[in-house]
Amino acid sequence: MEAPGDNSVATNSDALPNHTEGSVGNPTPIRGRGVVFDIGTGDGRFVSRMAAENPDKFFVGIDANAKPLEKPSMKATRKPSRGGLPNALFVQAAVENLPEEFDDSADEIHIHFPWGSLLKAVCVGDPLVLSSLCRIAAPECLLEIVIGIDPERDASEILRLDIPELNAKYFSEVLIPRYEAAGFELIESGVMSADEWSGMETSWARKLHGGDKRKVTYLVFEK
């Protein structure tokens, strides 16, 4: 198949580049003030929706592919009266080489239904990617990862990426220790029901809905 809650008292928005006007089923709900990153944002649905609903937070959508970012980025630069989002920013960047301007700025980092190389990175705990995420994370930043894999429908991608079986033993003995070594402590994990994950504000979750064998696991870490 081809891919289509603030936890701090202070906001880290001052650490972000200047961004002026013109320019439901979630384990860690958006709350309070702060800066939220969506890695692998795709068409930016999550960022656009959450930025509109949370004007006191600043949202940054990151994707390695520039094409899907064009439409949400243009929309965000409109005047607020025309649906613009002065608290949203979209940036083309590889997760393993995030801009230094974002260092220590994130209060929340979300990775929802990653695919391709990003899926491989989060499933094996790639040291370079985890180091990059830790670098942009402020103290006590929450890192939420939602992984959804169907062993039958995604068999070719699993084989291509050489993704290990994501069972409890692998999580506890291999993956979680790698995140801990990178500076993230597990604070919550579990399996989401189809009703929960299909309601998440991402286009990819909507496309995947209907696969009754898809297991969706979420992990929440704190820096």
Side-chain angles (χ1 to χ4, degrees), residues 82-130:
R82 297 181 57 199
L85 298 168
N87 61 326
L89 175 68
F90 295 93
V91 177
Q92 179 192 15
V95 65
E96 62 270 22
N97 189 29
L98 296 171
E100 294 181 357
E101 290 83 355
F102 294 145
D103 286 4
D104 302 313
S105 66
D107 294 300
E108 298 176 17
I109 301 172
H110 298 267
I111 303 177
H112 295 160
F113 298 97
W115 202 249
S117 60
L118 182 57
L119 174 63
K120 173 69 177 286
V122 300
C123 285
V124 303
D126 182 89
L128 186 59
V129 169
L130 295 186

Side-chain angles (χ1 to χ4, degrees), residues 31-127:
R31 58 192 186 277
R33 297 177 62 86
V35 179
V36 180
F37 281 76
D38 182 36
I39 307 295
T41 194
D43 63 6
R45 180 186 290 269
F46 174 79
V47 168
S48 297
R49 175 68 180 272
M50 293 299 104
E53 294 182 356
N54 299 270
D56 288 339
K57 304 195 79 167
F58 193 94
F59 292 81
V60 183
I62 303 285
D63 204 282
N65 186 359
K67 187 63 178 178
L69 300 178
E70 293 176 0
K71 186 175 180 179
S73 184
M74 288 296 295
K75 184 176 180 180
T77 60
R78 297 174 184 170
K79 295 181 179 180
S81 60
R82 297 181 57 199
L85 298 168
N87 61 326
L89 175 68
F90 295 93
V91 177
Q92 179 192 15
V95 65
E96 62 270 22
N97 189 29
L98 296 171
E100 294 181 357
E101 290 83 355
F102 294 145
D103 286 4
D104 302 313
S105 66
D107 294 300
E108 298 176 17
I109 301 172
H110 298 267
I111 303 177
H112 295 160
F113 298 97
W115 202 249
S117 60
L118 182 57
L119 174 63
K120 173 69 177 286
V122 300
C123 285
V124 303
D126 182 89

Side-chain angles (χ1 to χ4, degrees), residues 89 136 149 202:
L89 175 68
I136 70 168
I149 293 180
T202 72

Side-chain angles (χ1 to χ4, degrees), residues 11-18 35 101 105:
T11 175
N12 289 296
S13 57
D14 289 342
L16 291 172
N18 291 332
V35 179
E101 290 83 355
S105 66

